[in-house]
Amino acid sequence: MLVEKGFNVVGFDSLNDYYDPKIKIDRITNLRKNNNYFFVMGNVCNTIELDNLFSKHEFSLVIHLAAQAGVRQSINFPQLYFENNMHGFFNVLEACRIYKVKKLVFASSSSVYGNRSVGPFFELDSSDFPESFYAATKKANEVMAYSYSRQYGIQCIGLRFFSVYGPWGRPDMAYFSFTQKIFNEEVITLFSNGEMLRDFTYIKDIVDGVSNLVTDINLLPQYKIINFGNGNPLRTWELINVLEETIGKKALVCHTSGYHGDVLLTFANISEASKCCNYLPKTDLKEGLFTFVNWYKNYFQVNG
Protein backbone atom coordinates (compact mmCIF):
# COMPACT_ATOMS: atom_id res chain seq x y z
CA MET A 1 0.00 0.00 0.00
CA LEU A 2 2.87 2.38 0.75
CA VAL A 3 4.37 1.59 -2.64
CA GLU A 4 1.01 2.33 -4.26
CA LYS A 5 0.93 5.66 -2.43
CA GLY A 6 4.24 6.61 -4.07
CA PHE A 7 6.69 5.94 -1.26
CA ASN A 8 10.08 4.46 -2.08
CA VAL A 9 10.19 1.36 0.14
CA VAL A 10 13.24 -0.71 1.06
CA GLY A 11 12.52 -4.15 2.56
CA PHE A 12 15.13 -5.68 4.88
CA ASP A 13 14.78 -9.30 6.00
CA SER A 14 17.03 -12.20 7.01
CA LEU A 15 14.67 -14.78 5.44
CA ASN A 16 15.34 -17.16 8.33
CA ASP A 17 13.76 -20.61 8.50
CA TYR A 18 11.52 -20.14 11.55
CA TYR A 19 8.91 -21.02 8.95
CA ASP A 20 9.37 -21.96 5.29
CA PRO A 21 11.30 -19.11 3.61
CA LYS A 22 9.51 -19.83 0.32
CA ILE A 23 6.47 -17.84 1.37
CA LYS A 24 8.74 -14.92 2.28
CA ILE A 25 10.56 -15.10 -1.06
CA ASP A 26 7.23 -15.22 -2.92
CA ARG A 27 6.04 -12.11 -1.07
CA ILE A 28 9.20 -10.28 -2.12
CA THR A 29 8.85 -11.47 -5.72
CA ASN A 30 5.39 -9.89 -5.85
CA LEU A 31 6.65 -6.63 -4.37
CA ARG A 32 9.59 -6.42 -6.76
CA LYS A 33 7.14 -5.91 -9.62
CA ASN A 34 6.98 -2.30 -8.39
CA ASN A 35 9.77 0.07 -9.46
CA ASN A 36 9.77 1.87 -6.13
CA TYR A 37 10.30 -1.28 -4.02
CA PHE A 38 13.79 -2.55 -3.25
CA PHE A 39 14.87 -5.55 -1.19
CA VAL A 40 18.03 -6.05 0.84
CA MET A 41 18.76 -9.33 2.58
CA GLY A 42 20.17 -8.82 6.05
CA ASN A 43 19.65 -9.20 9.77
CA VAL A 44 18.86 -6.47 12.29
CA CYS A 45 21.14 -8.28 14.74
CA ASN A 46 24.10 -7.67 12.44
CA THR A 47 25.28 -4.10 12.98
CA ILE A 48 27.49 -4.12 9.86
CA GLU A 49 24.59 -5.12 7.60
CA LEU A 50 22.31 -2.59 9.26
CA ASP A 51 24.91 0.16 8.95
CA ASN A 52 25.34 -0.60 5.24
CA LEU A 53 21.56 -0.38 4.79
CA PHE A 54 21.17 2.98 6.53
CA SER A 55 24.29 4.48 4.93
CA LYS A 56 23.03 3.71 1.39
CA HIS A 57 19.48 5.01 1.86
CA GLU A 58 18.37 8.32 3.33
CA PHE A 59 15.37 7.00 5.25
CA SER A 60 12.76 9.50 6.37
CA LEU A 61 10.82 6.80 8.22
CA VAL A 62 11.51 3.30 9.55
CA ILE A 63 8.72 0.77 10.11
CA HIS A 64 10.27 -1.95 12.26
CA LEU A 65 8.32 -5.22 12.09
CA ALA A 66 11.22 -7.68 12.39
CA ALA A 67 11.13 -9.97 15.43
CA GLN A 68 11.22 -13.53 16.60
CA ALA A 69 7.50 -14.16 16.83
CA GLY A 70 5.42 -16.61 18.84
CA VAL A 71 4.63 -16.88 22.53
CA ARG A 72 5.22 -20.60 22.99
CA GLN A 73 8.65 -20.80 21.37
CA SER A 74 9.93 -18.05 23.66
CA ILE A 75 9.55 -20.37 26.65
CA ASN A 76 11.93 -22.92 25.14
CA PHE A 77 14.35 -20.54 23.38
CA PRO A 78 14.55 -17.30 25.40
CA GLN A 79 18.08 -16.51 24.18
CA LEU A 80 16.82 -16.40 20.59
CA TYR A 81 14.11 -13.94 21.59
CA PHE A 82 16.54 -11.75 23.49
CA GLU A 83 18.90 -11.56 20.50
CA ASN A 84 16.25 -10.86 17.87
CA ASN A 85 13.72 -8.80 19.79
CA MET A 86 15.86 -6.79 22.17
CA HIS A 87 19.36 -6.67 20.71
CA GLY A 88 17.91 -6.36 17.19
CA PHE A 89 15.56 -3.57 18.26
CA PHE A 90 18.40 -1.74 20.01
CA ASN A 91 20.41 -1.88 16.77
CA VAL A 92 17.51 -0.31 14.86
CA LEU A 93 17.19 2.45 17.45
CA GLU A 94 20.93 3.10 17.24
CA ALA A 95 20.84 3.21 13.43
CA CYS A 96 18.02 5.76 13.61
CA ARG A 97 20.07 7.85 16.07
CA ILE A 98 23.32 7.68 14.10
CA TYR A 99 21.71 8.37 10.71
CA LYS A 100 19.31 10.97 12.10
CA VAL A 101 16.08 9.18 11.14
CA LYS A 102 13.48 11.08 13.11
CA LYS A 103 10.45 8.81 12.70
CA LEU A 104 10.14 5.19 13.83
CA VAL A 105 6.99 3.05 13.82
CA PHE A 106 7.45 -0.33 15.49
CA ALA A 107 5.45 -3.47 16.20
CA SER A 108 4.57 -4.22 19.79
CA SER A 109 2.03 -6.85 20.80
CA SER A 110 -1.24 -7.41 22.64
CA SER A 111 0.69 -9.93 24.75
CA VAL A 112 2.15 -7.09 26.86
CA TYR A 113 -1.19 -6.80 28.70
CA GLY A 114 -0.57 -10.13 30.44
CA ASN A 115 -3.13 -12.69 31.49
CA ARG A 116 -6.37 -10.79 32.02
CA SER A 117 -9.93 -12.06 32.09
CA VAL A 118 -11.71 -8.72 31.59
CA GLY A 119 -11.51 -6.33 28.65
CA PRO A 120 -11.29 -4.28 26.60
CA PHE A 121 -7.62 -3.33 27.04
CA PHE A 122 -6.71 0.35 26.98
CA GLU A 123 -3.23 1.64 26.15
CA LEU A 124 -2.84 3.13 29.65
CA ASP A 125 -3.73 -0.16 31.39
CA SER A 126 -0.97 -1.91 33.29
CA SER A 127 1.46 -3.89 31.14
CA ASP A 128 3.92 -4.75 33.89
CA PHE A 129 3.16 -8.47 34.17
CA PRO A 130 4.00 -10.24 30.89
CA GLU A 131 2.98 -13.89 30.84
CA SER A 132 5.75 -14.98 28.44
CA PHE A 133 9.30 -13.91 27.66
CA TYR A 134 8.11 -12.91 24.17
CA ALA A 135 5.74 -10.44 25.82
CA ALA A 136 8.58 -9.21 28.05
CA THR A 137 10.73 -8.43 25.00
CA LYS A 138 7.90 -6.44 23.43
CA LYS A 139 7.33 -4.46 26.62
CA ALA A 140 11.07 -3.82 26.78
CA ASN A 141 10.95 -2.47 23.21
CA GLU A 142 8.32 0.07 24.23
CA VAL A 143 10.45 1.27 27.14
CA MET A 144 13.62 1.44 25.02
CA ALA A 145 11.76 3.42 22.36
CA TYR A 146 10.50 5.86 24.98
CA SER A 147 14.06 6.47 26.17
CA TYR A 148 15.36 7.10 22.64
CA SER A 149 12.41 9.37 21.94
CA ARG A 150 13.23 11.46 25.01
CA GLN A 151 17.01 11.44 24.66
CA TYR A 152 17.48 11.77 20.91
CA GLY A 153 14.30 13.34 19.58
CA ILE A 154 13.18 10.32 17.55
CA GLN A 155 9.42 10.14 17.15
CA CYS A 156 8.52 6.59 18.22
CA ILE A 157 5.05 5.13 17.63
CA GLY A 158 4.47 1.60 18.95
CA LEU A 159 1.59 -0.48 17.61
CA ARG A 160 0.15 -3.25 19.77
CA PHE A 161 -1.14 -5.73 17.20
CA PHE A 162 -3.92 -8.18 18.14
CA SER A 163 -3.97 -11.66 16.49
CA VAL A 164 -3.43 -10.50 12.93
CA TYR A 165 -4.51 -12.99 10.25
CA GLY A 166 -4.96 -13.19 6.49
CA PRO A 167 -3.30 -14.14 3.18
CA TRP A 168 0.52 -14.42 3.20
CA GLY A 169 0.50 -14.76 6.99
CA ARG A 170 2.62 -16.88 9.32
CA PRO A 171 2.03 -20.64 8.97
CA ASP A 172 2.60 -21.20 12.70
CA MET A 173 -0.42 -19.12 13.69
CA ALA A 174 -3.63 -20.92 14.70
CA TYR A 175 -5.86 -19.90 11.77
CA PHE A 176 -3.19 -20.99 9.27
CA SER A 177 -2.23 -24.29 10.93
CA PHE A 178 -5.91 -25.15 11.60
CA THR A 179 -6.69 -24.63 7.91
CA GLN A 180 -3.81 -26.86 6.89
CA LYS A 181 -4.88 -29.60 9.29
CA ILE A 182 -8.52 -29.51 8.20
CA PHE A 183 -7.52 -29.91 4.56
CA ASN A 184 -5.04 -32.69 5.45
CA GLU A 185 -7.48 -34.38 7.86
CA GLU A 186 -4.98 -34.05 10.71
CA VAL A 187 -5.88 -33.60 14.38
CA ILE A 188 -6.04 -30.06 15.78
CA THR A 189 -4.89 -29.75 19.40
CA LEU A 190 -7.23 -27.20 20.99
CA PHE A 191 -6.01 -25.68 24.25
CA SER A 192 -8.33 -24.76 27.12
CA ASN A 193 -11.27 -26.45 25.37
CA GLY A 194 -11.25 -23.70 22.76
CA GLU A 195 -12.44 -21.14 25.31
CA MET A 196 -9.52 -18.74 24.91
CA LEU A 197 -10.74 -15.45 23.45
CA ARG A 198 -8.74 -13.77 20.70
CA ASP A 199 -9.29 -10.40 19.04
CA PHE A 200 -8.75 -11.64 15.48
CA THR A 201 -7.80 -8.71 13.22
CA TYR A 202 -7.67 -8.93 9.43
CA ILE A 203 -4.43 -7.87 7.75
CA LYS A 204 -6.04 -5.42 5.31
CA ASP A 205 -7.55 -3.47 8.22
CA ILE A 206 -4.12 -3.34 9.87
CA VAL A 207 -2.47 -2.18 6.64
CA ASP A 208 -5.07 0.56 6.15
CA GLY A 209 -4.43 1.79 9.69
CA VAL A 210 -0.64 1.79 9.37
CA SER A 211 -0.85 3.53 6.00
CA ASN A 212 -3.07 6.25 7.47
CA LEU A 213 -0.71 6.60 10.41
CA VAL A 214 2.33 7.02 8.17
CA THR A 215 0.51 9.63 6.09
CA ASP A 216 -0.51 11.65 9.18
CA ILE A 217 2.46 10.89 11.46
CA ASN A 218 3.39 14.57 11.79
CA LEU A 219 0.13 15.09 13.70
CA LEU A 220 1.08 12.54 16.35
CA PRO A 221 3.08 13.20 19.53
CA GLN A 222 6.76 12.38 20.02
CA TYR A 223 5.96 9.03 21.64
CA LYS A 224 2.76 7.04 21.56
CA ILE A 225 1.48 3.47 21.99
CA ILE A 226 -1.63 2.51 19.99
CA ASN A 227 -3.79 -0.63 19.96
CA PHE A 228 -4.44 -2.10 16.53
CA GLY A 229 -7.11 -4.75 17.01
CA ASN A 230 -10.64 -5.57 15.95
CA GLY A 231 -12.46 -4.90 19.21
CA ASN A 232 -14.51 -8.09 18.97
CA PRO A 233 -12.87 -11.14 20.59
CA LEU A 234 -14.03 -14.64 19.64
CA ARG A 235 -13.30 -18.05 21.14
CA THR A 236 -10.90 -20.34 19.30
CA TRP A 237 -13.65 -22.95 18.87
CA GLU A 238 -15.60 -20.27 16.97
CA LEU A 239 -12.58 -19.85 14.70
CA ILE A 240 -12.71 -23.59 13.95
CA ASN A 241 -16.45 -23.45 13.28
CA VAL A 242 -16.00 -20.68 10.71
CA LEU A 243 -13.12 -22.55 9.07
CA GLU A 244 -15.22 -25.74 8.86
CA GLU A 245 -18.05 -23.81 7.22
CA THR A 246 -15.70 -22.03 4.82
CA ILE A 247 -13.70 -25.11 3.83
CA GLY A 248 -16.66 -27.47 3.81
CA LYS A 249 -14.95 -30.13 5.96
CA LYS A 250 -15.17 -31.05 9.63
CA ALA A 251 -12.14 -30.59 11.84
CA LEU A 252 -10.65 -33.42 13.90
CA VAL A 253 -10.15 -31.89 17.34
CA CYS A 254 -8.29 -33.07 20.44
CA HIS A 255 -8.90 -31.00 23.57
CA THR A 256 -6.16 -30.32 26.11
CA SER A 257 -5.40 -27.97 28.99
CA GLY A 258 -3.97 -24.50 28.49
CA TYR A 259 -0.39 -23.93 27.39
CA HIS A 260 1.96 -22.20 29.81
CA GLY A 261 2.52 -18.64 28.60
CA ASP A 262 -0.77 -18.32 26.75
CA VAL A 263 -3.26 -15.71 27.92
CA LEU A 264 -7.00 -16.20 28.32
CA LEU A 265 -8.11 -13.05 26.52
CA THR A 266 -6.99 -10.41 24.05
CA PHE A 267 -9.44 -7.57 23.54
CA ALA A 268 -8.47 -4.17 22.10
CA ASN A 269 -10.06 -0.86 22.80
CA ILE A 270 -9.40 0.87 19.47
CA SER A 271 -10.72 4.35 20.20
CA GLU A 272 -7.21 5.83 20.26
CA ALA A 273 -6.35 4.28 16.87
CA SER A 274 -9.60 5.59 15.46
CA LYS A 275 -8.82 9.08 16.69
CA CYS A 276 -5.13 9.10 15.69
CA CYS A 277 -5.21 7.52 12.25
CA ASN A 278 -8.82 6.99 11.25
CA TYR A 279 -8.46 3.29 12.02
CA LEU A 280 -11.70 1.43 11.38
CA PRO A 281 -11.62 -2.38 11.05
CA LYS A 282 -14.25 -3.44 8.53
CA THR A 283 -13.62 -7.18 8.10
CA ASP A 284 -15.45 -9.75 10.22
CA LEU A 285 -14.01 -13.22 10.77
CA LYS A 286 -16.20 -14.94 8.15
CA GLU A 287 -15.19 -12.53 5.41
CA GLY A 288 -11.53 -12.54 6.41
CA LEU A 289 -11.27 -16.33 6.61
CA PHE A 290 -13.13 -16.73 3.31
CA THR A 291 -10.47 -14.57 1.62
CA PHE A 292 -7.67 -16.40 3.42
CA VAL A 293 -8.94 -19.88 2.54
CA ASN A 294 -9.28 -18.93 -1.14
CA TRP A 295 -5.71 -17.62 -1.09
CA TYR A 296 -4.54 -20.79 0.70
CA LYS A 297 -6.13 -23.08 -1.89
CA ASN A 298 -4.64 -21.09 -4.74
CA TYR A 299 -1.16 -20.74 -3.20
CA PHE A 300 -0.83 -24.39 -2.14
CA GLN A 301 -2.86 -25.68 -5.12
CA VAL A 302 -5.38 -27.43 -2.89
CA ASN A 303 -8.57 -28.87 -4.37
CA GLY A 304 -11.91 -28.61 -2.57
Side-chain angles (χ1 to χ4, degrees):
M1 183 169 284
L2 293 177
V3 165
E4 289 171 358
K5 283 191 170 185
F7 288 91
N8 291 319
V9 179
V10 180
F12 185 70
D13 198 303
S14 67
L15 301 180
N16 69 25
D17 61 358
Y18 171 63
Y19 59 85
D20 187 354
K22 181 182 183 302
I23 195 171
K24 306 178 184 186
I25 294 166
D26 289 344
R27 292 188 197 124
I28 294 163
T29 300
N30 280 343
L31 286 165
R32 276 180 160 160
K33 296 172 184 175
N34 301 282
N35 292 330
N36 50 334
Y37 176 81
F38 312 91
F39 177 74
V40 178
M41 186 170 175
N43 195 320
V44 292
C45 295
N46 187 312
T47 53
I48 295 174
E49 292 176 349
L50 206 57
D51 185 72
N52 288 339
L53 177 77
F54 274 73
S55 65
K56 290 178 181 177
H57 303 276
E58 294 184 10
F59 294 121
S60 58
L61 168 74
V62 170
I63 303 178
H64 177 62
L65 305 174
Q68 184 65 41
V71 168
R72 294 169 189 166
Q73 285 273 48
S74 72
I75 296 168
N76 297 321
F77 305 103
Q79 180 71 31
L80 188 64
Y81 282 74
F82 173 80
E83 288 297 328
N84 284 297
N85 296 5
M86 295 179 69
H87 184 201
F89 187 66
F90 169 76
N91 289 343
V92 172
L93 287 170
E94 270 291 270
C96 289
R97 178 183 71 85
I98 292 167
Y99 289 94
K100 304 188 186 311
V101 179
K102 291 300 184 181
K103 299 181 188 304
L104 170 66
V105 177
F106 66 95
S108 186
S109 168
S110 62
S111 64
V112 302
Y113 288 107
N115 200 4
R116 300 174 52 183
S117 58
V118 178
F121 306 165
F122 291 80
E123 287 87 351
L124 293 179
D125 288 349
S126 172
S127 55
D128 294 334
F129 303 98
E131 193 72 12
S132 66
F133 189 65
Y134 167 76
T137 65
K138 287 299 188 177
K139 175 62 177 179
N141 287 172
E142 294 181 0
V143 178
M144 292 160 68
Y146 178 79
S147 175
Y148 267 69
S149 177
R150 295 282 293 175
Q151 296 297 318
Y152 306 115
I154 302 170
Q155 184 184 24
C156 294
I157 310 297
L159 307 179
R160 290 176 177 167
F161 294 131
F162 284 70
S163 299
V164 184
Y165 73 98
W168 297 102
R170 279 177 23 222
D172 63 306
M173 291 190 71
Y175 76 94
F176 204 123
S177 66
F178 289 178
T179 298
Q180 184 179 48
K181 288 179 178 179
I182 291 172
F183 274 117
N184 294 341
E185 298 181 357
E186 298 171 353
V187 175
I188 295 170
T189 300
L190 198 57
F191 294 101
S192 300
N193 294 315
E195 292 294 324
M196 290 188 296
L197 285 152
R198 293 291 179 267
D199 199 354
F200 297 109
T201 312
Y202 188 62
I203 182 61
K204 177 61 164 56
D205 293 329
I206 292 285
V207 168
D208 286 343
V210 175
S211 179
N212 290 344
L213 184 150
V214 167
T215 303
D216 297 330
I217 197 168
N218 290 332
L219 303 177
L220 296 179
Q222 188 74 359
Y223 176 86
K224 194 167 186 63
I225 298 295
I226 309 173
N227 287 337
F228 267 42
N230 190 52
N232 182 34
L234 297 169
R235 290 173 173 81
T236 48
W237 64 257
E238 294 178 274
L239 169 68
I240 290 179
N241 285 354
V242 175
L243 281 173
E244 289 176 328
E245 181 183 336
T246 304
I247 295 169
K249 294 180 70 173
K250 294 294 290 184
L252 304 173
V253 178
C254 171
H255 293 275
T256 187
S257 58
Y259 194 96
H260 181 59
D262 267 339
V263 297
L264 299 172
L265 169 69
T266 64
F267 184 0
N269 177 284
I270 55 174
S271 57
E272 200 62 31
S274 175
K275 182 170 63 177
C276 290
C277 42
N278 198 29
Y279 175 70
L280 180 64
K282 302 172 183 177
T283 313
D284 65 23
L285 191 64
K286 284 189 176 182
E287 180 186 352
L289 288 180
F290 178 81
T291 304
F292 167 73
V293 168
N294 281 339
W295 169 85
Y296 180 95
K297 290 195 293 187
N298 181 62
Y299 183 78
F300 292 102
Q301 297 183 330
V302 174
N303 295 321

